[in-house]
Structure formats: structure tokens, C-alpha cells
């Protein structure tokens, strides 16, 4: 009979089921601990390389796991990249499949995963053109990955789970990944134990689609510095940086990642944006689901996340305090504790840094995330980037994200002909500045527009302007 040590060094180990492997892995870990008290020869024998350990389909997690190359499965010419890791003590739990957003690589999840492993084995997966998966062409047909809709990617994930013999999983989908996760739950409900969705909405709003379209315009025009800043300013709520405390280093690295996109990465970005722009409806999971978002998420708004949750028959909804669209960067400990608690079927009601909502509270949520203010000098004008066109207007109110304008005569209809490149001119004691707008609604003499954010410096200037207007408005209200 082979010793435990020799079993783990056998080139072709005996096939045993998951629980047997978990038991053997525990024995091996214990052997290593006991080996420290033996003589040097026995100690060397006991200190086995964790990278050689397997728990069936899963690799035993060790400190160098994220330095290992991704594992690969090919499905009809498409490449699926993944990591499958576990700890012996939680190996018996339901595996957790994590579907990330458009930009993260596996290493982005390293510290998140370490907090989640107690809840069960983990699979990190990148489908074609998502995450760090660079595939943009089918190797058999040459077909573009852009032909794969998010529902097609969900179908591919279901096939992959069948191939790998994972017949029951919990699924965690974040941002773009939340749509794939919801589609999987709709297509293959028998595979899903429970689900976590973060940053999800059922239908996309026009203003949101315009932000994506604007980022594509900037990228196609190769205004990459502006593109990189715009993507950050759309995903990260700059107006709440004092609350979210996002690290300047993280923000700078995120920006450089965007601004230095290679040609392949630019094509992948366009593919994923267009998938979202074509999206008409996100299916509602029938399994037990936790919908979560940052308290100050300005990209997928809290009330949009809550509205999605309200349609789920077996749901919980919570916000991560003092976070926006990327709570895994800003409040990682609290976010992962929330997820692990839910995955272990424990109460999320009294977790530090988490704001749980009842159904009644969700129905009464405020839709507007940032209050609008009236400004001291509302009479102003819009100018056009590509000509000397000037259109007089009046600011009804505004905030960091957008503005409501009123026009005389038929000037609103004139302005609406230029939805992308009109700049609003503003001034205060610091001086004059201008910021371009994205017009998304016209109603008689009124126009609603988003501010185009493509500059950290201009975003800071606008914040200072809005702050001064709030102070003046507060003073006026105090004396009236």
C-alpha cells in the first residue's frame, strides 16, 4: 500500500471522489505540520509542493496559485479560461463560479478569493473576449467573438459546466458578468444553487447607453487619454470620492490600463460595449439571489439594482456602504464578508459596512443619487466644438452628473440636433470654464443632458463649482 506521501507524488493518482480527496488533503496538511518536529530528512519529505495537490477537479489553493497559468477548455473553436481552487476544509461546499466584468484578470480577484474560500471551492472563469481572455476570433471558423451575445456566452458556460462535471454551483456575477449569470440561471436553472449579482439592471436607460457610446467614440478617435479618464469617471463616482476613499494609486493604475489599450484590447472593449448596447432585457433568476451594489453606484444606480431584485421571487438586497460601482476595490473586506455570509446561508442583517433593505424600503428608494442645485448665474450659453455656433440658454438646475436647461423660442430643437459636442459655459469666483454635454431628452423648451467626463482636472473643477453653488443656496435658504 502506498504511503500518503507517495500517493501525492504519483504521476497518475487513483481516481477518488471529492470527499476522499478532501480527507487526503487534510491528512497531507497535517503531515506537513507534524513533520516540522521531526528530523531534517523527514521534514524535507513532509514539505510537499502544494501546487501538486488536487482535490478532484480543483487545485488546492496556495500562495502562488495566481502565478499559475490559466487552465483552458475548448468548445467548438472557442476558448474558455479558468482557475479552479479550493481549500480542504471547505471543499465539501457547493462550488462558486465567479464571472467578472469586462476588464478584470484573475489576479484582480486574488485578495477577494482568499476571503471567499471558506464558503466553498472557487472557479474564476473568463469566456471569449471577457476578462483576460484575449480570444476575439473562433480558431475553427474565424468568426468574431462580437457575434456572441451575452446569452450565447451563458449557454457556453452551461456547456462548460457539463463538460467539467459541475452539476450544481453557486454563481457570482459582477457588472457585465451579472448579465451572463442571469442568463445562465434562466437557461439552466437546474445547475444553480444560489446567485450573487452586483451592479445589475433589467433594462438599460438611454443616458447610460450614451455614456457607453461616448466612450466608443473617444476610442475610435484615438483620444486614448481622454478615453481612459472617461471610463474611470463613469465607473467611479467622482462626486463621492470623499466617502469611497478610492486609492489614488488604484485610480491611476486603472486609468493607465484603459489609456494604454492594445489593438486587441480596444477590439474587446468594443465587442463588450456593443453586447451591452444591444441588450434589451436581463432575465430574472428564479433561484435564491442576493443583489448588491455600492451605496453610491453612479453607473448601475442603486434603485435600478433594487428594481431588479424586487422582481426575483427569492431575493435579498443590500448596499455596500461608502462604495460605488467597484466595491471590491474600495470596501473589499466588507463586500467579500457579505458574499461569503450569503453563500453559507447565514443572515446578512447585521454585517459591518453593509446596509440591508426590506422590500418596503426598496419600494421607497430615492431614484436620484445626487441632489440638484440652482446656480447663481443661470443665464449662459452653449458653444459647438466644430463651428462658431452659440446657443443662449438658462440653467434650471444641475449637479455633478448633468443639467436641466431651458431655452427661448425654438432653440431647444436647434440644440437637440447636436447631442454630443455642445459645451455648457459656467463661471464662478474661480473664473470661467466649459464642459461638454450629452443631450438625452428634449421636452418643449427644456433639454436634459449628461456632462461628458473625460478629464480628471475638469471633473474636479466642476465639483468645486457645484460645491460653491450648494453653499450659496444654503445661505440663501437660511436668510429667506
Amino acid at each position: 500500500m502506498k504511503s500518503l506521501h507517495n500517493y501525492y507524488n504519483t504521476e497518475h493518482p487513483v481516481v477518488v471522489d471529492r470527499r476522499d480527496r478532501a480527507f487526503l488533503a487534510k491528512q497531507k496538511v497535517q503531515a506537513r505540520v507534524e513533520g516540522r518536529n521531526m528530523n531534517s530528512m523527514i521534514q524535507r519529505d513532509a514539505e510537499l509542493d502544494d501546487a501538486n495537490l488536487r482535490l478532484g477537479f480543483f487545485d488546492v489553493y496556495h500562495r502562488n496559485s495566481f502565478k499559475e497559468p490559466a487552465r483552458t477548455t475548448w468548445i467548438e473553436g472557442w476558448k474558455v479560461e479558468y482557475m479552479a481552487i479550493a481549500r480542504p476544509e471547505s471543499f465539501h461546499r457547493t462550488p462558486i463560479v465567479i464571472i467578472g466584468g469586462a476588464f478584470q484578470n484573475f489576479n484582480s480577484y486574488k485578495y477577494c478569493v482568499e476571503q471567499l474560500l471558506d464558503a466553498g471551492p472557487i472557479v474564476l472563469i473568463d469566456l471569449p473576449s471577457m476578462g483576460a481572455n484575449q480570444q476575439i476570433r473562433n480558431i475553427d471558423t474565424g468568426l468574431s467573438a462580437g457575434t456572441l451575445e451575452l446569452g450565447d456566452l451563458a449557454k457556453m458556460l452551461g456547456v462548460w459546466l457539463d463538460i467539467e462535471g459541475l452539476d450544481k454551483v453557486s454563481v457570482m456575477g459582477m457588472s457585465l458578468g451579472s448579465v451572463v449569470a442571469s442568463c445562465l440561471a434562466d437557461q439552466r436553472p437546474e445547475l444553480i444553487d444560489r446567485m450573487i449579482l452586483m451592479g445589475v439592471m433589467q433594462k438599460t436607460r438611454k443616458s447610460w447607453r450614451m455614456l457607453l457610446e461616448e466612450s466608443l467614440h473617444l476610442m475610435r478617435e484615438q483620444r486614448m487619454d481622454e478615453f481612459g479618464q472617461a471610463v474611470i469617471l463613469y465607473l467611479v463616482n467622482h462626486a463621492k470620492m470623499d466617502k469611497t476613499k478610492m486609492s489614488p494609486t488604484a485610480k491611476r493604475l486603472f486609468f493607465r490600463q484603459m489609456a494604454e489599450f492594445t489593438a486587441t484590447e480596444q477590439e474587446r472593449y468594443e465587442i463588450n460595449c456593443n453586447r451591452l448596447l444591444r441588450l434589451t432585457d436581463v432575465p430574472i433568476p428564479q433561484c435564491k439571489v442576493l443583489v448588491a451594489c455600492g451605496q453610491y453606484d453612479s453607473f448601475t444606480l442603486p434603485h435600478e439594482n433594487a428594481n431588479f431584485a424586487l422582481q426575483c421571487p427569492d431575493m435579498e438586497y443590500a448596499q455596500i456602504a461608502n462604495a460605488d460601482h467597484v466595491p471590491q476595490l474600495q470596501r473589499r473586506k466588507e463586500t467579500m464578508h457579505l458574499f461569503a455570509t450569503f453563500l453559507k446561508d447565514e443572515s446578512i442583517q447585521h454585517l459591518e459596512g453593509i446596509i440591508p433593505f426590506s422590500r418596503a424600503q426598496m419600494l421607497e428608494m430615492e431614484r436620484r443619487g445626487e441632489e440638484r442645485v440652482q446656480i447663481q448665474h443661470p443665464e449662459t450659453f452653449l458653444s459647438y466644438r466644430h463651428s462658431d455656433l452659440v446657443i443662449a440658454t438658462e440653467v434650471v438646475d444641475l449637479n455633478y452628473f448633468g443639467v436641466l436647461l431651458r431655452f427661448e423660442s425654438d432653440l431647444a430643437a436647434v440644440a437637440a440636433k447636436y447631442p454630443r459636442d455642445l459645451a455648457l459655459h459656467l463661471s464662478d469666483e474661480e473664473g470661467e470654464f466649459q464642459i461638454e454635454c450629452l443631450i438625452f431628452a428634449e421636452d418643449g423648451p427644456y433639454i436634459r443632458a449628461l456632462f461628458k467626463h473625460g478629464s480628471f482636472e475638469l471633473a474636479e473643477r466642476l465639483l468645486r463649482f457645484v460645491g460653491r453653488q450648494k453653499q450659496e443656496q444654503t445661505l440663501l435658504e437660511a436668510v429667506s
Side-chain angles (χ1 to χ4, degrees), residues 333-366:
K333 179 182 176 182
E334 294 83 354
T335 303
M336 293 306 121
H337 188 207
L338 167 67
F339 292 173
T341 300
F342 174 78
L343 290 165
K344 291 188 284 188
D345 200 24
E346 298 172 359
S347 172
I348 66 168
Q349 293 303 308
H350 304 290
L351 303 180
E352 184 178 353
I354 300 301
I355 309 168
F357 281 71
S358 67
R359 182 173 287 271
Q361 289 172 321
M362 293 162 68
L363 290 168
E364 296 172 1
M365 280 180 63
E366 174 62 48

Coordinates of all heavy atoms in Angstrom, one line a residue, residues 333-366:
K333 N -13.1 44.0 2.1 CA -13.3 43.2 3.3 C -14.8 43.0 3.5 O -15.4 41.9 3.7 CB -12.6 43.7 4.5 CG -12.9 43.0 5.8 CD -12.2 43.6 6.9 CE -12.5 42.9 8.3 NZ -11.9 43.6 9.4
E334 N -15.5 44.2 3.5 CA -17.0 44.2 3.8 C -17.7 43.5 2.7 O -18.7 42.7 3.0 CB -17.5 45.6 4.0 CG -17.0 46.3 5.2 CD -15.6 47.0 5.0 OE1 -15.0 46.8 3.9 OE2 -15.1 47.7 5.9
T335 N -17.3 43.7 1.4 CA -18.0 43.1 0.3 C -17.9 41.6 0.3 O -18.9 40.9 0.1 CB -17.5 43.7 -1.0 OG1 -17.6 45.1 -1.0 CG2 -18.2 43.1 -2.2
M336 N -16.7 41.1 0.5 CA -16.5 39.7 0.5 C -17.1 39.0 1.7 O -17.6 37.8 1.6 CB -15.0 39.4 0.4 CG -14.3 39.8 -0.9 SD -15.2 39.1 -2.4 CE -15.7 40.6 -3.2
H337 N -17.1 39.7 2.8 CA -17.8 39.1 4.0 C -19.3 39.0 3.7 O -19.9 37.9 4.1 CB -17.6 40.0 5.2 CG -18.0 39.4 6.5 ND1 -18.4 40.2 7.6 CD2 -18.2 38.1 6.9 CE1 -18.8 39.4 8.6 NE2 -18.7 38.1 8.2
L338 N -19.9 40.0 3.1 CA -21.3 39.9 2.7 C -21.5 38.7 1.8 O -22.4 37.9 2.0 CB -21.7 41.2 2.0 CG -23.0 41.1 1.2 CD1 -24.2 41.0 2.2 CD2 -23.2 42.4 0.4
F339 N -20.7 38.5 0.8 CA -20.9 37.4 -0.2 C -20.7 36.1 0.5 O -21.5 35.1 0.3 CB -19.9 37.6 -1.3 CG -20.2 38.8 -2.2 CD1 -19.3 39.1 -3.2 CD2 -21.3 39.6 -2.1 CE1 -19.5 40.2 -4.1 CE2 -21.5 40.6 -2.9 CZ -20.6 41.0 -3.9
A340 N -19.6 35.9 1.3 CA -19.4 34.7 2.0 C -20.5 34.3 2.9 O -20.9 33.1 3.0 CB -18.0 34.7 2.7
T341 N -21.0 35.3 3.6 CA -22.1 35.1 4.6 C -23.4 34.5 3.8 O -24.0 33.6 4.3 CB -22.5 36.4 5.3 OG1 -21.3 36.8 6.0 CG2 -23.6 36.2 6.3
F342 N -23.7 35.2 2.7 CA -24.8 34.7 1.9 C -24.6 33.3 1.4 O -25.5 32.5 1.4 CB -25.1 35.7 0.8 CG -26.2 35.3 -0.2 CD1 -27.5 35.4 0.1 CD2 -25.8 34.7 -1.4 CE1 -28.5 35.0 -0.8 CE2 -26.8 34.3 -2.3 CZ -28.1 34.5 -2.0
L343 N -23.4 33.1 0.9 CA -23.1 31.8 0.3 C -23.2 30.6 1.3 O -23.5 29.5 1.0 CB -21.8 31.8 -0.4 CG -21.7 32.6 -1.7 CD1 -20.2 32.9 -2.1 CD2 -22.4 32.0 -2.8
K344 N -22.9 31.0 2.6 CA -23.0 30.0 3.6 C -24.4 29.9 4.3 O -24.6 29.2 5.3 CB -21.9 30.2 4.7 CG -20.5 30.0 4.2 CD -19.5 30.1 5.3 CE -19.2 31.5 5.7 NZ -18.1 31.6 6.7
D345 N -25.4 30.6 3.6 CA -26.8 30.6 4.1 C -26.9 31.2 5.5 O -27.7 30.7 6.3 CB -27.4 29.2 4.0 CG -28.9 29.2 3.9 OD1 -29.5 30.3 3.6 OD2 -29.5 28.2 4.3
E346 N -26.2 32.2 5.8 CA -26.3 32.9 7.1 C -26.9 34.2 6.9 O -26.9 34.8 5.8 CB -24.9 33.0 7.7 CG -24.2 31.6 8.0 CD -22.8 31.8 8.4 OE1 -22.3 32.9 8.5 OE2 -22.1 30.7 8.7
S347 N -27.3 34.8 8.0 CA -28.0 36.1 7.9 C -27.1 37.3 7.5 O -26.0 37.4 8.1 CB -28.7 36.5 9.2 OG -29.2 37.8 9.2
I348 N -27.5 38.1 6.6 CA -26.7 39.3 6.3 C -27.2 40.6 7.0 O -26.8 41.7 6.6 CB -26.8 39.5 4.7 CG1 -28.2 39.9 4.3 CG2 -26.3 38.3 4.0 CD1 -28.2 40.4 2.8
Q349 N -28.1 40.4 7.9 CA -28.8 41.6 8.5 C -27.9 42.5 9.4 O -28.2 43.7 9.6 CB -30.0 41.1 9.3 CG -31.1 40.5 8.5 CD -31.5 41.5 7.4 OE1 -31.9 42.6 7.7 NE2 -31.5 41.1 6.2
H350 N -26.8 42.0 10.0 CA -26.1 42.8 10.9 C -24.6 42.7 10.6 O -23.7 42.6 11.5 CB -26.3 42.3 12.4 CG -27.8 42.3 12.7 ND1 -28.5 43.5 12.9 CD2 -28.7 41.3 12.9 CE1 -29.8 43.2 13.2 NE2 -29.9 41.9 13.2
L351 N -24.2 42.9 9.4 CA -22.8 42.9 9.0 C -22.2 44.3 8.9 O -22.9 45.2 8.5 CB -22.7 42.2 7.6 CG -23.2 40.8 7.4 CD1 -23.0 40.3 6.0 CD2 -22.6 39.8 8.4
E352 N -21.0 44.4 9.4 CA -20.4 45.7 9.4 C -20.2 46.2 8.0 O -19.7 45.5 7.1 CB -19.0 45.6 10.1 CG -18.3 46.9 10.2 CD -16.9 46.8 10.9 OE1 -16.6 45.7 11.4 OE2 -16.2 47.8 11.0
G353 N -20.6 47.5 7.8 CA -20.4 48.1 6.5 C -21.4 47.7 5.4 O -21.2 48.1 4.3
I354 N -22.4 47.0 5.8 CA -23.5 46.6 4.9 C -24.8 47.1 5.3 O -25.2 47.2 6.5 CB -23.5 45.0 4.9 CG1 -22.2 44.4 4.5 CG2 -24.7 44.5 3.9 CD1 -21.7 44.9 3.1
I355 N -25.6 47.6 4.3 CA -26.9 48.2 4.5 C -28.0 47.3 3.9 O -28.2 47.4 2.7 CB -27.0 49.6 3.9 CG1 -25.8 50.5 4.3 CG2 -28.3 50.3 4.3 CD1 -25.7 51.8 3.6
P356 N -28.6 46.4 4.7 CA -29.6 45.5 4.1 C -30.9 46.3 4.0 O -31.2 47.3 4.8 CB -29.7 44.4 5.1 CG -29.3 45.0 6.4 CD -28.3 46.1 6.1
F357 N -31.8 46.0 3.0 CA -33.0 46.7 2.8 C -34.2 45.6 2.9 O -34.1 44.5 2.3 CB -33.0 47.3 1.4 CG -32.3 48.6 1.3 CD1 -30.9 48.6 1.4 CD2 -33.0 49.8 1.1 CE1 -30.2 49.8 1.3 CE2 -32.3 51.0 1.0 CZ -30.9 51.0 1.1
S358 N -35.3 46.1 3.4 CA -36.5 45.3 3.4 C -37.2 45.6 2.0 O -36.9 46.6 1.3 CB -37.5 45.7 4.5 OG -37.9 47.0 4.3
R359 N -38.2 44.8 1.7 CA -38.9 45.1 0.4 C -39.6 46.5 0.5 O -39.6 47.2 -0.5 CB -40.0 44.0 0.2 CG -40.8 44.1 -1.1 CD -41.7 42.9 -1.3 NE -40.9 41.7 -1.7 CZ -40.6 41.4 -2.9 NH1 -41.0 42.2 -3.9 NH2 -39.9 40.4 -3.2
A360 N -40.2 46.8 1.6 CA -40.8 48.1 1.8 C -39.8 49.3 1.6 O -40.1 50.3 0.9 CB -41.5 48.2 3.1
Q361 N -38.6 49.1 2.1 CA -37.6 50.1 2.0 C -37.2 50.3 0.5 O -36.9 51.4 0.0 CB -36.4 49.8 2.8 CG -36.7 50.0 4.3 CD -35.5 49.5 5.2 OE1 -34.9 48.5 4.9 NE2 -35.2 50.2 6.2
M362 N -37.1 49.1 -0.2 CA -36.7 49.1 -1.6 C -37.7 49.9 -2.5 O -37.4 50.6 -3.4 CB -36.5 47.7 -2.1 CG -35.3 47.0 -1.5 SD -35.4 45.2 -1.6 CE -35.1 45.0 -3.4
L363 N -39.0 49.7 -2.1 CA -40.0 50.4 -2.9 C -40.0 51.9 -2.7 O -40.5 52.6 -3.6 CB -41.4 49.8 -2.5 CG -41.7 48.3 -2.9 CD1 -42.9 47.8 -2.3 CD2 -41.8 48.3 -4.5
E364 N -39.5 52.3 -1.6 CA -39.5 53.8 -1.3 C -38.1 54.4 -1.6 O -37.9 55.6 -1.2 CB -39.8 54.0 0.1 CG -41.3 53.5 0.5 CD -41.5 53.6 2.0 OE1 -40.6 54.0 2.7 OE2 -42.6 53.2 2.4
M365 N -37.2 53.7 -2.3 CA -35.9 54.3 -2.5 C -35.9 55.5 -3.4 O -36.7 55.6 -4.3 CB -35.0 53.2 -3.2 CG -34.4 52.2 -2.2 SD -33.3 51.0 -3.1 CE -32.1 52.1 -3.7
E366 N -35.0 56.5 -3.0 CA -34.8 57.7 -3.8 C -34.2 57.3 -5.2 O -33.2 56.6 -5.2 CB -33.9 58.7 -3.1 CG -33.5 59.9 -3.8 CD -34.7 60.8 -4.3 OE1 -35.6 61.0 -3.4 OE2 -34.8 61.1 -5.4

